[in-house]
Amino acid sequence: MASPHSNAESADNNLVAALKIGDEEAFRQLIEQQGPRMLSVARRFMRDDDQARDVLQEAFIQVFRKIHTFKEQSKLSTWLHRIVVNTALMRIRSQKRKREDSIEDMLPGFLEDGHQANPARPWAATGEKLLQRKEVRQFVREAIDRLPENYRTVLLMRDIEEMSTAETAQALEVTENAVKIRLHRARQALREQLDPALREEAE
C-alpha cells in the first residue's frame, strides 16, 4: 500500500509533467493549490496588498516561462516559494526611494559605561507561547513592518523564510557581513519595540 508521502510525490511529478507540456488545467490546479500560501509569502515582503497580488501574478508568469528548467530533485512548492521571494525582492529593489529611513531611533540606548539605558527584562512567557495568541502575532507583524526596508527584508529572509546568510546575501546583492549587521540591528530594533508590551511586569 502506497504511503501518503509517495502518493503526494507521485501527484507532484504528474503535475510537473503536465505543466511542462503546457497543460492549462495543470496551471489552474497549481494556482488553486499553491496560490493562497504563496500570497501569504508575498504579503510578508510587500507592505501593500495590491503589490503582493502583483508579485504573486508575476511569480506564476515566471513559473509558466521557466517550468521547463525545473528539476525534480526539489519539491515544486519549494521552487515556487523561491520564485515568489525573488520576485518580491526584485519589486522592492525597483521601487525608487528618495531616502532610506534610519534605524537608529529604534535601537536601544546605551549609557556612558556601555550598559543599556533600559535593559530588556524577561517576558511573562516564551516567544513561542506568545506567538500562539492572535493579537500578539498581529502586534509582531506590525512591529516588523515599521522597520526600515533593508533591515525588514533581511529579518524576513533570515528569521521567517529561514534562508541562510549566504543565500540572503546573494539574493540582496550585498556581502554576508552586511547581512549579519543588518540582521543584528533589526533584531535589536524589533526587541526594543516588543519589550514594553511583552515583558514581565516588574514589582
Side-chain angles (χ1 to χ4, degrees), residues 50-203:
D50 288 338
Q51 289 193 35
R53 293 182 182 279
D54 288 345
V55 163
L56 183 63
Q57 182 177 20
E58 177 60 27
F60 277 119
I61 291 173
Q62 292 295 322
V63 170
F64 180 80
R65 291 173 178 170
K66 297 179 178 180
I67 188 62
H68 65 282
T69 69
F70 174 69
K71 294 179 172 51
E72 282 76 0
Q73 287 92 336
S74 61
K75 292 178 63 177
L76 179 61
S77 58
T78 302
W79 184 66
L80 177 57
H81 179 277
R82 182 54 57 88
I83 290 177
V84 173
V85 171
N86 287 340
T87 303
L89 293 177
M90 288 179 62
R91 175 64 65 95
I92 290 171
R93 286 198 297 266
S94 69
Q95 291 173 341
K96 303 294 184 181
R97 296 175 64 86
K98 293 182 179 179
R99 64 181 180 83
E100 183 63 59
D101 294 332
S102 172
I103 199 172
E104 297 301 324
D105 291 342
M106 295 183 172
L107 297 176
F110 290 87
L111 302 173
E112 291 184 2
D113 61 5
H115 291 87
Q116 278 189 231
N118 295 298
R121 300 175 186 173
W123 292 344
T126 64
E128 185 176 349
K129 289 184 177 179
L130 286 168
L131 290 174
Q132 292 175 0
R133 292 158 45 190
K134 182 178 179 180
E135 67 274 15
V136 173
R137 291 199 303 272
Q138 180 63 30
F139 182 59
V140 172
R141 281 195 294 267
E142 291 172 354
I144 292 174
D145 278 346
R146 285 193 290 270
L147 296 175
E149 194 68 70
N150 55 342
Y151 294 94
R152 173 179 173 271
T153 302
V154 167
L155 183 76
L156 289 171
M157 295 175 73
R158 290 287 285 109
D159 289 352
I160 307 299
E161 301 300 326
E162 298 183 339
M163 295 171 67
S164 69
T165 299
E167 289 173 325
T168 302
Q170 183 178 12
L172 296 177
E173 300 178 350
V174 298
T175 66
E176 291 186 26
N177 192 51
V179 169
K180 292 176 182 178
I181 292 172
R182 291 181 190 179
L183 179 61
H184 175 68
R185 291 164 73 81
R187 286 171 174 170
Q188 280 189 314
L190 184 60
R191 174 82 194 203
E192 189 75 0
Q193 290 189 78
L194 299 179
D195 195 56
L198 301 182
R199 69 188 176 188
E200 185 177 40
E201 291 291 338
E203 292 295 334

Side-chain angles (χ1 to χ4, degrees), residues 20-39:
K20 286 187 174 182
I21 63 173
D23 188 324
E24 292 185 6
E25 176 60 23
F27 276 100
R28 185 199 64 76
Q29 183 180 343
L30 177 67
I31 293 172
E32 184 177 284
Q33 289 179 355
Q34 299 292 336
R37 190 162 69 89
M38 295 304 154
L39 180 58

